[in-house]
Amino acid sequence: MFERSPVRGELVEIGDAWQQVQSLRTYPPAVSTVLGEMMAAAALLSANLKFNGSIVLQIHGDGPVQLLVVECDALLRLRATAKIREDADVASDASLPQLVNQHGEGRFAITLDPADKLPGQQAYQGIVSLDGDSVATVIENYMIRSEQLDTRLWLAADEHISRGLLLQKLPDEGGTAKDGERADTDAWNRTVTLASTVSDQELLNTDIMTLLQRLYWEESVRVFEPRHPSFHCGCSREKVGNMLKMLGKEEVDSAIADLGELDIDCDFCGQHYAFDAVDCAQLFTSAAISDAVQLPGSQQH
């Protein structure tokens, strides 16, 4: 927090979790960079969560990249994946628009998903057109339009690390600060101008406390205890089974008849799940029993 100023900031460094994501699947360099930047952004935005749940960032693309997804929960546990079209030729220096917005049909979505939903409660999702030539500008435009919050982001990622800096303008209550001191009304412009001097290489190669001191050595800054991002995937056999039940018995039976067994790999962590004919039959048998128990006035024998 910047003392006597309506500005808050965050710096994030993701090392092990980012390397674990890359170890699960090999992406072209340009895709890897965008995914790493999205991981840093998700961690920075998760600090605004006022509930026990997750924030999910998604970019739906109309170029060689079909989908980029990053999820971060309230404990800063992250997972990420990207889906690239078959036979896509991805240039190593491809820009974000070239990857996902070649025909202007790209979309950006932020989902807030509570872990303990109340009856009837649904996840909140905001979807907008892909407005910007970088992950940072896309999110900045979303925040000012959807949340009415002045937010600036600086993001960078390479094969080793993902880092990010966020600044956010807070409501200025009356233009004064505690103890009768005047609030610093120029703080937002000044802090943004200083942050804008940071290059991608400086962001990648400078540890976050050193970077904070270099940028704001003349500012009064209150620094809080750090939190530590980690990799985590919440997939399970039960969740995969629920996904199959959503497809419906007819479609699942048809797939079993054709394939003999359904082999499903988690896109985020690579965990393999296999369902044979008996497994699939049990899914719908248990669902039918559950439905019967819930029928009012019904009796089970």
Side-chain angles (χ1 to χ4, degrees), residues 185-199:
T185 56
D186 190 48
W188 174 248
N189 291 332
R190 186 173 66 253
T191 53
V192 168
T193 298
L194 290 170
S196 297
T197 65
V198 177
S199 68

Side-chain angles (χ1 to χ4, degrees), residues 107-119:
R107 293 290 181 269
F108 174 68
I110 290 184
T111 303
L112 303 180
D113 189 12
D116 305 311
K117 294 184 180 66
L118 299 173

Side-chain angles (χ1 to χ4, degrees), residues 18 20-36 65 67-69 80-84 90 267-269:
W18 172 223
Q20 190 161 353
V21 167
Q22 295 178 94
S23 72
L24 296 168
R25 189 174 298 179
T26 301
Y27 298 112
V31 178
S32 180
T33 296
V34 170
L35 196 63
V65 178
L67 182 66
L68 296 144
V69 184
T81 189
K83 185 175 182 180
I84 303 172
V90 181
D267 288 336
F268 290 96
C269 69

